[in-house]
Amino acid sequence: MATVQAPMVRWRNDRLFYTGASLYLAILTFAGFARSFFLSHWMTRSASTPEIGRLLVTHGLFFSAWIGLLVVQPILIANRRRELHRKLGWVGAALAVAMVVFGNLAAIAAMHGGFKGLGDPYAFYAVPFFAIQGFAVLVGLAVMWREKAETHKRLMLLAAIVIVEAAVARIELAPVVAGAPFTFFVAGDLLIFAGMAYDKLSRGRVHKAWIWGGAAVIASQIGKVLISHTEPWMAFGRAVAGLWPV
């Protein structure tokens, strides 16, 4: 039978878990975009890396700022800086809006040569499209339920898990898995199961945000793989790509 931790012990362990989870996602982000963005002046870019113009730089800066804030926020809570946490939360909400706008623009532009070595660009467009919209929904729900701390913090992690797949996809994995399709989902999904396991150990039950939110994230991953090469989706991709000035 699962044990339920005392409130103060659980509070301290929560700070460790959520700070550690945020750092894990930040490390994945840095590792994935080191060659193409963060350390691009010192590292040789992969042949599949598109030209990094103003749009991608802007998107990358907003993305980086949001991930940085994701790490800072649980640290503020751990140090009982709740008021500053709330104020920075609105900065995070604004960054999330900017990420959604520029993320969608970057994904559309990428159909004109940015998805190098990833097969049909209109099919692959399903991957960033659903990740970006999923991120928007999860952050929106997290903001709406910001007064429900237990729900809020899990939804914010889920939102980060959805978008970190873009970074994981760029990490050069061992040859045994490098050729396997969509392995970049796994690194984020591991955190979902870690969160569920942590809840079970610390509270005796898994929070609904992990159950329903985690299920939605995994279902969207499966769904976009299944629909990506269907004719309706390809037609949608071509129509959206046609809106971008070439």
Side-chain angles (χ1 to χ4, degrees), residues 148-183:
K148 299 180 183 294
E150 293 294 312
T151 301
H152 172 80
K153 61 189 180 184
R154 289 167 175 81
L155 289 174
M156 292 303 288
L157 272 186
L158 283 167
I161 287 168
V162 166
I163 57 169
V164 81
E165 65 189 38
V168 178
R170 289 165 172 79
I171 298 175
E172 295 184 359
L173 303 175
V176 68
V177 297
F182 304 107
T183 51

Side-chain angles (χ1 to χ4, degrees), residues 123-124 127 177 179-186 221 224-226 228-229:
F124 191 80
V127 175
V177 297
F182 304 107
T183 51
F184 48 86
F185 294 148
V186 176
Q221 294 169 350
K224 59 190 173 187
V225 172
L226 293 177
S228 62
H229 285 84

Side-chain angles (χ1 to χ4, degrees), residues 99-170:
M99 284 176 61
V100 171
V101 171
F102 284 97
N104 275 301
L105 291 176
I108 294 170
M111 285 189 280
H112 297 282
F115 296 144
K116 295 181 179 179
L118 298 173
D120 190 294
Y122 308 120
F124 191 80
Y125 176 59
V127 175
F129 176 85
F130 284 102
I132 295 164
Q133 299 0 292
F135 169 81
V137 170
L138 287 165
V139 171
L141 291 173
V143 171
M144 185 173 70
W145 287 321
R146 61 190 179 277
E147 299 300 329
K148 299 180 183 294
E150 293 294 312
T151 301
H152 172 80
K153 61 189 180 184
R154 289 167 175 81
L155 289 174
M156 292 303 288
L157 272 186
L158 283 167
I161 287 168
V162 166
I163 57 169
V164 81
E165 65 189 38
V168 178
R170 289 165 172 79

